[in-house]
Amino acid sequence: MTGTSADIGLLALRAVFGLYLAGHGLKKFGLLDGPGLAQTALAFEKGGFRPGRPMATLAGVLEVAGGLALVAGFLTPAAGATVVGVMLVAASLHVPNGLWESDKGVELPAVFAAAALALLFTGPGRISIDRLAGIDDLAGLPESALLLAVVVVAVTLTLIRRQSHLRAAASNPHE
């Protein structure tokens, strides 16, 4: 599959995935019948992501911005790498619940991470802002791998920080 059919397929993936991801982020702010920032912040705190409100805000902003950037095919490698990182962190919260979304498991963040990873390495296709701006071939394999490596380091540091917060909470349950 090359040329026009691949471009249409990438556009479909970007549009559906990106809009769902943006909507997922908007729910954190109370839109689309979402729980809102206060409730989301409490969930982040409980999960060891402290302070909860800034962390929940950051996650929501990155989901909305990343989703919309992917829909538009704008800075696609950077958007894809960012979304992979956000979804890896989200997956860490969902892994204890098992595989399936119906059990609040890892299914949704895993599928979202896989879609973002695919776009990171394939690029947006010719129907994109990146193409119009002449930057659709800016990130080849080495650059995309480097972006992914930077994101994996950031995720690792975030999860280490989370573990220290969880350990501190366990040793001081009244705080």
PDB file of all heavy atoms in Angstrom, residues 8 14-15 20 37-38 52 64 70 73 83-84 108 112 125-126 134 136 138 145 147 155 157 159:
ATOM      1  N   ILE A   8      -4.672   8.188   2.802  1.00  0.00           N
ATOM      2  CA  ILE A   8      -6.057   8.171   3.299  1.00  0.00           C
ATOM      3  C   ILE A   8      -6.141   7.339   4.577  1.00  0.00           C
ATOM      4  O   ILE A   8      -6.809   7.725   5.542  1.00  0.00           O
ATOM      5  CB  ILE A   8      -7.026   7.662   2.209  1.00  0.00           C
ATOM      6  CG1 ILE A   8      -7.093   8.687   1.074  1.00  0.00           C
ATOM      7  CG2 ILE A   8      -8.412   7.390   2.787  1.00  0.00           C
ATOM      8  CD1 ILE A   8      -7.810   8.194  -0.167  1.00  0.00           C
ATOM      9  N   ARG A  14      -5.298   9.128  12.041  1.00  0.00           N
ATOM     10  CA  ARG A  14      -5.036  10.370  12.776  1.00  0.00           C
ATOM     11  C   ARG A  14      -6.331  11.021  13.234  1.00  0.00           C
ATOM     12  O   ARG A  14      -6.418  11.495  14.373  1.00  0.00           O
ATOM     13  CB  ARG A  14      -4.250  11.360  11.901  1.00  0.00           C
ATOM     14  CG  ARG A  14      -2.825  10.972  11.660  1.00  0.00           C
ATOM     15  CD  ARG A  14      -1.999  12.054  10.961  1.00  0.00           C
ATOM     16  NE  ARG A  14      -2.709  13.218  10.532  1.00  0.00           N
ATOM     17  CZ  ARG A  14      -2.964  13.538   9.249  1.00  0.00           C
ATOM     18  NH1 ARG A  14      -2.532  12.764   8.269  1.00  0.00           N
ATOM     19  NH2 ARG A  14      -3.618  14.635   8.954  1.00  0.00           N
ATOM     20  N   ALA A  15      -7.338  11.064  12.376  1.00  0.00           N
ATOM     21  CA  ALA A  15      -8.586  11.747  12.710  1.00  0.00           C
ATOM     22  C   ALA A  15      -9.326  11.029  13.845  1.00  0.00           C
ATOM     23  O   ALA A  15      -9.700  11.659  14.848  1.00  0.00           O
ATOM     24  CB  ALA A  15      -9.477  11.853  11.477  1.00  0.00           C
ATOM     25  N   TYR A  20     -10.470  11.074  19.514  1.00  0.00           N
ATOM     26  CA  TYR A  20     -10.753  10.343  20.753  1.00  0.00           C
ATOM     27  C   TYR A  20      -9.771  10.727  21.855  1.00  0.00           C
ATOM     28  O   TYR A  20     -10.153  10.894  23.015  1.00  0.00           O
ATOM     29  CB  TYR A  20     -10.721   8.824  20.529  1.00  0.00           C
ATOM     30  CG  TYR A  20     -12.068   8.256  20.173  1.00  0.00           C
ATOM     31  CD1 TYR A  20     -12.338   7.811  18.891  1.00  0.00           C
ATOM     32  CD2 TYR A  20     -13.086   8.168  21.124  1.00  0.00           C
ATOM     33  CE1 TYR A  20     -13.578   7.301  18.554  1.00  0.00           C
ATOM     34  CE2 TYR A  20     -14.325   7.650  20.803  1.00  0.00           C
ATOM     35  CZ  TYR A  20     -14.572   7.214  19.522  1.00  0.00           C
ATOM     36  OH  TYR A  20     -15.798   6.716  19.193  1.00  0.00           O
ATOM     37  N   LEU A  37     -11.563  18.380  36.811  1.00  0.00           N
ATOM     38  CA  LEU A  37     -10.188  18.444  37.293  1.00  0.00           C
ATOM     39  C   LEU A  37     -10.053  18.066  38.760  1.00  0.00           C
ATOM     40  O   LEU A  37      -9.093  17.382  39.138  1.00  0.00           O
ATOM     41  CB  LEU A  37      -9.618  19.844  37.039  1.00  0.00           C
ATOM     42  CG  LEU A  37      -8.117  19.975  37.062  1.00  0.00           C
ATOM     43  CD1 LEU A  37      -7.437  18.957  36.168  1.00  0.00           C
ATOM     44  CD2 LEU A  37      -7.708  21.379  36.652  1.00  0.00           C
ATOM     45  N   ALA A  38     -10.996  18.452  39.608  1.00  0.00           N
ATOM     46  CA  ALA A  38     -10.874  18.131  41.037  1.00  0.00           C
ATOM     47  C   ALA A  38     -10.898  16.621  41.258  1.00  0.00           C
ATOM     48  O   ALA A  38     -10.040  16.079  41.969  1.00  0.00           O
ATOM     49  CB  ALA A  38     -12.000  18.801  41.824  1.00  0.00           C
ATOM     50  N   GLY A  52      -1.383  16.344  42.651  1.00  0.00           N
ATOM     51  CA  GLY A  52      -2.397  15.800  41.754  1.00  0.00           C
ATOM     52  C   GLY A  52      -2.945  16.781  40.737  1.00  0.00           C
ATOM     53  O   GLY A  52      -3.084  16.449  39.560  1.00  0.00           O
ATOM     54  N   VAL A  64      -5.065  16.589  24.957  1.00  0.00           N
ATOM     55  CA  VAL A  64      -5.809  17.447  24.026  1.00  0.00           C
ATOM     56  C   VAL A  64      -4.882  17.967  22.932  1.00  0.00           C
ATOM     57  O   VAL A  64      -5.178  17.845  21.731  1.00  0.00           O
ATOM     58  CB  VAL A  64      -6.495  18.622  24.771  1.00  0.00           C
ATOM     59  CG1 VAL A  64      -7.098  19.614  23.781  1.00  0.00           C
ATOM     60  CG2 VAL A  64      -7.572  18.098  25.715  1.00  0.00           C
ATOM     61  N   LEU A  70      -2.125  15.512  16.164  1.00  0.00           N
ATOM     62  CA  LEU A  70      -2.160  14.321  15.315  1.00  0.00           C
ATOM     63  C   LEU A  70      -3.271  14.411  14.276  1.00  0.00           C
ATOM     64  O   LEU A  70      -3.072  14.022  13.121  1.00  0.00           O
ATOM     65  CB  LEU A  70      -2.296  13.057  16.168  1.00  0.00           C
ATOM     66  CG  LEU A  70      -1.054  12.708  16.988  1.00  0.00           C
ATOM     67  CD1 LEU A  70      -1.345  11.554  17.936  1.00  0.00           C
ATOM     68  CD2 LEU A  70       0.138  12.408  16.103  1.00  0.00           C
ATOM     69  N   GLY A  73      -2.011  16.512  11.652  1.00  0.00           N
ATOM     70  CA  GLY A  73      -0.741  16.094  11.074  1.00  0.00           C
ATOM     71  C   GLY A  73       0.290  17.196  11.247  1.00  0.00           C
ATOM     72  O   GLY A  73       1.046  17.516  10.346  1.00  0.00           O
ATOM     73  N   VAL A  83       2.509  11.590  23.083  1.00  0.00           N
ATOM     74  CA  VAL A  83       1.343  10.770  23.414  1.00  0.00           C
ATOM     75  C   VAL A  83       1.777   9.381  23.890  1.00  0.00           C
ATOM     76  O   VAL A  83       1.195   8.837  24.834  1.00  0.00           O
ATOM     77  CB  VAL A  83       0.373  10.688  22.214  1.00  0.00           C
ATOM     78  CG1 VAL A  83      -0.718   9.667  22.451  1.00  0.00           C
ATOM     79  CG2 VAL A  83      -0.224  12.061  21.932  1.00  0.00           C
ATOM     80  N   VAL A  84       2.803   8.807  23.286  1.00  0.00           N
ATOM     81  CA  VAL A  84       3.318   7.521  23.767  1.00  0.00           C
ATOM     82  C   VAL A  84       3.691   7.654  25.240  1.00  0.00           C
ATOM     83  O   VAL A  84       3.330   6.807  26.071  1.00  0.00           O
ATOM     84  CB  VAL A  84       4.531   7.033  22.943  1.00  0.00           C
ATOM     85  CG1 VAL A  84       5.247   5.877  23.636  1.00  0.00           C
ATOM     86  CG2 VAL A  84       4.102   6.625  21.543  1.00  0.00           C
ATOM     87  N   LEU A 108      -7.124   0.551  26.903  1.00  0.00           N
ATOM     88  CA  LEU A 108      -7.183   1.848  26.225  1.00  0.00           C
ATOM     89  C   LEU A 108      -5.816   2.529  26.143  1.00  0.00           C
ATOM     90  O   LEU A 108      -5.398   2.931  25.042  1.00  0.00           O
ATOM     91  CB  LEU A 108      -8.208   2.766  26.883  1.00  0.00           C
ATOM     92  CG  LEU A 108      -8.408   4.105  26.179  1.00  0.00           C
ATOM     93  CD1 LEU A 108      -9.073   3.918  24.813  1.00  0.00           C
ATOM     94  CD2 LEU A 108      -9.251   5.028  27.041  1.00  0.00           C
ATOM     95  N   PHE A 112      -3.937   3.262  22.583  1.00  0.00           N
ATOM     96  CA  PHE A 112      -3.570   4.648  22.273  1.00  0.00           C
ATOM     97  C   PHE A 112      -2.051   4.775  22.091  1.00  0.00           C
ATOM     98  O   PHE A 112      -1.587   5.468  21.188  1.00  0.00           O
ATOM     99  CB  PHE A 112      -4.058   5.596  23.367  1.00  0.00           C
ATOM    100  CG  PHE A 112      -5.500   6.015  23.248  1.00  0.00           C
ATOM    101  CD1 PHE A 112      -6.387   5.407  22.374  1.00  0.00           C
ATOM    102  CD2 PHE A 112      -5.978   7.058  24.031  1.00  0.00           C
ATOM    103  CE1 PHE A 112      -7.711   5.821  22.274  1.00  0.00           C
ATOM    104  CE2 PHE A 112      -7.292   7.481  23.936  1.00  0.00           C
ATOM    105  CZ  PHE A 112      -8.159   6.856  23.065  1.00  0.00           C
ATOM    106  N   GLY A 125       1.667  11.230   6.645  1.00  0.00           N
ATOM    107  CA  GLY A 125       1.174  11.087   5.276  1.00  0.00           C
ATOM    108  C   GLY A 125       1.109  12.440   4.590  1.00  0.00           C
ATOM    109  O   GLY A 125       1.419  13.482   5.179  1.00  0.00           O
ATOM    110  N   ARG A 126       0.694  12.412   3.324  1.00  0.00           N
ATOM    111  CA  ARG A 126       0.712  13.647   2.526  1.00  0.00           C
ATOM    112  C   ARG A 126      -0.450  14.580   2.829  1.00  0.00           C
ATOM    113  O   ARG A 126      -0.384  15.760   2.508  1.00  0.00           O
ATOM    114  CB  ARG A 126       0.723  13.302   1.041  1.00  0.00           C
ATOM    115  CG  ARG A 126       2.047  12.662   0.621  1.00  0.00           C
ATOM    116  CD  ARG A 126       2.088  12.360  -0.847  1.00  0.00           C
ATOM    117  NE  ARG A 126       1.111  11.306  -1.130  1.00  0.00           N
ATOM    118  CZ  ARG A 126       0.874  10.805  -2.332  1.00  0.00           C
ATOM    119  NH1 ARG A 126       1.534  11.257  -3.376  1.00  0.00           N
ATOM    120  NH2 ARG A 126       0.000   9.842  -2.488  1.00  0.00           N
ATOM    121  N   GLY A 134       6.239  21.394   4.463  1.00  0.00           N
ATOM    122  CA  GLY A 134       7.482  20.846   3.962  1.00  0.00           C
ATOM    123  C   GLY A 134       8.345  20.182   5.023  1.00  0.00           C
ATOM    124  O   GLY A 134       9.555  20.033   4.843  1.00  0.00           O
ATOM    125  N   ASP A 136       7.337  17.098   6.499  1.00  0.00           N
ATOM    126  CA  ASP A 136       6.820  15.747   6.709  1.00  0.00           C
ATOM    127  C   ASP A 136       7.904  14.682   6.714  1.00  0.00           C
ATOM    128  O   ASP A 136       7.682  13.574   7.186  1.00  0.00           O
ATOM    129  CB  ASP A 136       5.739  15.404   5.685  1.00  0.00           C
ATOM    130  CG  ASP A 136       6.215  15.546   4.253  1.00  0.00           C
ATOM    131  OD1 ASP A 136       6.946  16.499   3.970  1.00  0.00           O
ATOM    132  OD2 ASP A 136       5.831  14.699   3.426  1.00  0.00           O
ATOM    133  N   LEU A 138      10.941  15.315   8.140  1.00  0.00           N
ATOM    134  CA  LEU A 138      11.927  15.840   9.076  1.00  0.00           C
ATOM    135  C   LEU A 138      12.458  14.764  10.027  1.00  0.00           C
ATOM    136  O   LEU A 138      13.632  14.752  10.372  1.00  0.00           O
ATOM    137  CB  LEU A 138      11.298  16.980   9.892  1.00  0.00           C
ATOM    138  CG  LEU A 138      12.220  18.027  10.452  1.00  0.00           C
ATOM    139  CD1 LEU A 138      13.059  18.668   9.359  1.00  0.00           C
ATOM    140  CD2 LEU A 138      11.418  19.097  11.168  1.00  0.00           C
ATOM    141  N   ALA A 145      13.528   7.457  16.709  1.00  0.00           N
ATOM    142  CA  ALA A 145      14.036   6.613  17.795  1.00  0.00           C
ATOM    143  C   ALA A 145      14.590   7.467  18.928  1.00  0.00           C
ATOM    144  O   ALA A 145      14.390   7.154  20.113  1.00  0.00           O
ATOM    145  CB  ALA A 145      15.103   5.660  17.267  1.00  0.00           C
ATOM    146  N   LEU A 147      13.607  10.584  19.675  1.00  0.00           N
ATOM    147  CA  LEU A 147      12.432  11.150  20.348  1.00  0.00           C
ATOM    148  C   LEU A 147      11.841  10.135  21.321  1.00  0.00           C
ATOM    149  O   LEU A 147      11.514  10.464  22.464  1.00  0.00           O
ATOM    150  CB  LEU A 147      11.359  11.548  19.330  1.00  0.00           C
ATOM    151  CG  LEU A 147      11.506  12.876  18.620  1.00  0.00           C
ATOM    152  CD1 LEU A 147      10.491  12.985  17.490  1.00  0.00           C
ATOM    153  CD2 LEU A 147      11.331  14.022  19.599  1.00  0.00           C
ATOM    154  N   VAL A 155       9.466   9.199  31.077  1.00  0.00           N
ATOM    155  CA  VAL A 155       8.469   8.323  31.705  1.00  0.00           C
ATOM    156  C   VAL A 155       9.099   7.570  32.870  1.00  0.00           C
ATOM    157  O   VAL A 155       8.507   7.470  33.958  1.00  0.00           O
ATOM    158  CB  VAL A 155       7.868   7.342  30.675  1.00  0.00           C
ATOM    159  CG1 VAL A 155       7.089   6.230  31.357  1.00  0.00           C
ATOM    160  CG2 VAL A 155       6.984   8.095  29.690  1.00  0.00           C
ATOM    161  N   LEU A 157      11.635   8.443  34.754  1.00  0.00           N
ATOM    162  CA  LEU A 157      11.825   9.374  35.869  1.00  0.00           C
ATOM    163  C   LEU A 157      10.500   9.690  36.559  1.00  0.00           C
ATOM    164  O   LEU A 157      10.436   9.778  37.796  1.00  0.00           O
ATOM    165  CB  LEU A 157      12.500  10.651  35.377  1.00  0.00           C
ATOM    166  CG  LEU A 157      13.939  10.485  34.898  1.00  0.00           C
ATOM    167  CD1 LEU A 157      14.455  11.782  34.276  1.00  0.00           C
ATOM    168  CD2 LEU A 157      14.845  10.014  36.026  1.00  0.00           C
ATOM    169  N   LEU A 159       7.864   7.734  36.725  1.00  0.00           N
ATOM    170  CA  LEU A 159       7.428   6.554  37.474  1.00  0.00           C
ATOM    171  C   LEU A 159       8.278   6.321  38.724  1.00  0.00           C
ATOM    172  O   LEU A 159       7.769   5.864  39.755  1.00  0.00           O
ATOM    173  CB  LEU A 159       7.410   5.326  36.574  1.00  0.00           C
ATOM    174  CG  LEU A 159       6.382   5.393  35.433  1.00  0.00           C
ATOM    175  CD1 LEU A 159       6.457   4.155  34.563  1.00  0.00           C
ATOM    176  CD2 LEU A 159       4.974   5.626  35.952  1.00  0.00           C
TER     177      LEU A 159
END
